[in-house]
Amino acid sequence: MEIPIFTVDAFTNVPFKGNPAAVCLIENELQDDLYQSIAAEMNLSDTAFITKQNSMDFTSAPGMTKRHLMDTFFNKTKKMECNQVVAFGLKFWMFHLQDQDEIKDLLKAAVGDLPIQDVFYSPAIKNLMIRLADTCNRSDLMSLRPEAETLVRNETTGKIKSLIVTLKGTQTSQSGYDFYSRVFSPWVGVPEDPVTGSAHTVLAGYWSEKLEKKKMMAYQCSSRGGEVKLEMRDDGRVDIIGQAQIILQGILKI
């Protein structure tokens, strides 16, 4: 069996930035264990399997599959054509205010002495979100170097899978971003995620309320970096949109 395969950098228009994913074009459904084996071989955070119906299975880890839609299609010559836009709709998750005294050691491990404005928790997806005070700037966020081992040591209850640190954007002539973020997930083996769709389901709901905006532009300040366009919908979901670059293509022989 020969499967066309690509590496796509999502949420960026620059190669080697954004979130890298493997994309496989398949004629027919594969056995479940083969999906997992291909994903493991690619060794990226997401591996997508696209059929002619434009459906995409993102396989992140054994036994975990997420289905999204991507503005990409599989043509008759078994090539992937991409108009450089990735778009999918996800439910945005509710959150509640978190008592900072209960997790003060974890907060210290995450942001050091930087001032904190709010801390929220989203139990549905086990995300803890720290909003830095507006006196902080983007360089403060980018300078954070939390150690994965320290974060894990300070949270052993299993209630947190990802830690989001966010900051209000400046909206200057140099930057049109409504907010910035970084995402750390050492509890699931990811010290820092390059660009995180699931985290933006929490961030979108929070910042939409604070900024009183339905449409926002965000930037995730990982070392790779990525731009995320967000559009809040009336059905309780958020559209997550970004550019994409195909940087590698080949044939997977099985």
Side-chain angles (χ1 to χ4, degrees):
M1 183 189 306
E2 294 188 349
I3 299 175
I5 189 166
F6 302 78
T7 296
V8 179
D9 288 344
F11 302 110
T12 183
N13 59 358
V14 180
F16 313 121
K17 297 292 184 179
N19 194 63
V23 180
C24 297
L25 305 184
I26 58 175
E27 292 277 4
N28 302 297
E29 292 293 324
L30 307 177
Q31 294 182 350
D32 287 346
D33 60 343
L34 188 52
Y35 287 118
Q36 302 295 344
S37 295
I38 293 173
E41 186 73 13
M42 295 305 99
N43 196 33
L44 295 172
S45 59
D46 296 295
T47 298
F49 300 90
I50 301 181
T51 67
K52 291 181 180 179
Q53 289 73 38
N54 290 345
S55 65
M56 174 178 283
D57 284 339
F58 278 90
T59 303
S60 303
M64 296 180 64
T65 299
K66 299 173 286 183
R67 185 173 292 275
H68 305 306
L69 296 180
M70 184 176 183
D71 195 1
T72 302
F73 64 89
F74 180 8
N75 68 21
K76 293 180 180 179
T77 58
K78 292 188 177 181
K79 294 181 180 179
M80 188 172 74
E81 296 184 359
C82 183
N83 69 354
Q84 297 185 324
V85 175
V86 177
F88 50 90
L90 296 176
K91 179 178 180 180
F92 64 85
W93 297 103
M94 302 305 294
F95 46 84
H96 59 74
L97 194 63
Q98 170 70 46
D99 186 342
Q100 297 186 34
D101 288 336
E102 293 180 358
I103 55 170
K104 59 183 180 180
D105 292 338
L106 177 62
L107 297 178
K108 178 73 173 179
V111 302
D113 295 324
L114 290 179
I116 295 172
Q117 180 157 328
D118 291 320
V119 180
F120 289 89
Y121 178 65
S122 179
I125 54 175
K126 298 184 177 181
N127 278 191
L128 183 74
M129 184 177 70
I130 302 170
R131 176 184 172 180
L132 296 177
D134 293 346
T135 54
C136 297
N137 56 40
R138 177 174 168 174
S139 62
D140 292 323
L141 178 60
M142 295 183 69
S143 69
L144 293 178
R145 296 291 184 271
E147 294 184 0
E149 297 82 0
T150 305
L151 293 177
V152 172
R153 187 169 61 250
N154 281 284
E155 167 46 44
T156 59
T157 65
K159 293 182 178 180
I160 297 175
K161 287 186 176 180
S162 289
L163 174 68
I164 306 167
V165 185
T166 188
L167 175 70
K168 184 179 179 181
T170 55
Q171 287 292 325
T172 65
S173 58
Q174 289 79 31
S175 169
Y177 299 118
D178 292 289
F179 64 87
Y180 303 105
S181 68
R182 290 179 69 185
V183 179
F184 308 95
S185 306
W187 298 274
V188 294
V190 182
E192 182 170 6
D193 200 358
V195 189
T196 320
S198 61
H200 281 86
T201 63
V202 179
L203 288 162
Y206 175 83
W207 284 111
S208 177
E209 178 182 315
K210 296 297 182 182
L211 301 174
E212 298 182 341
K213 298 179 71 173
K214 292 285 188 179
K215 295 182 179 181
M216 295 167 287
M217 181 65 75
Y219 188 82
Q220 190 159 329
C221 301
S222 65
S223 58
R224 292 178 65 96
E227 291 185 337
V228 183
K229 182 180 179 181
L230 302 164
E231 296 185 6
M232 304 297 291
R233 292 167 22 182
D234 295 331
D235 61 357
R237 303 178 75 83
V238 55
D239 287 335
I240 300 176
I241 306 163
Q243 294 181 295
Q245 291 286 308
I246 298 172
I247 63 165
L248 182 148
Q249 65 183 75
I251 298 295
L252 183 64
K253 297 185 176 182
I254 301 174

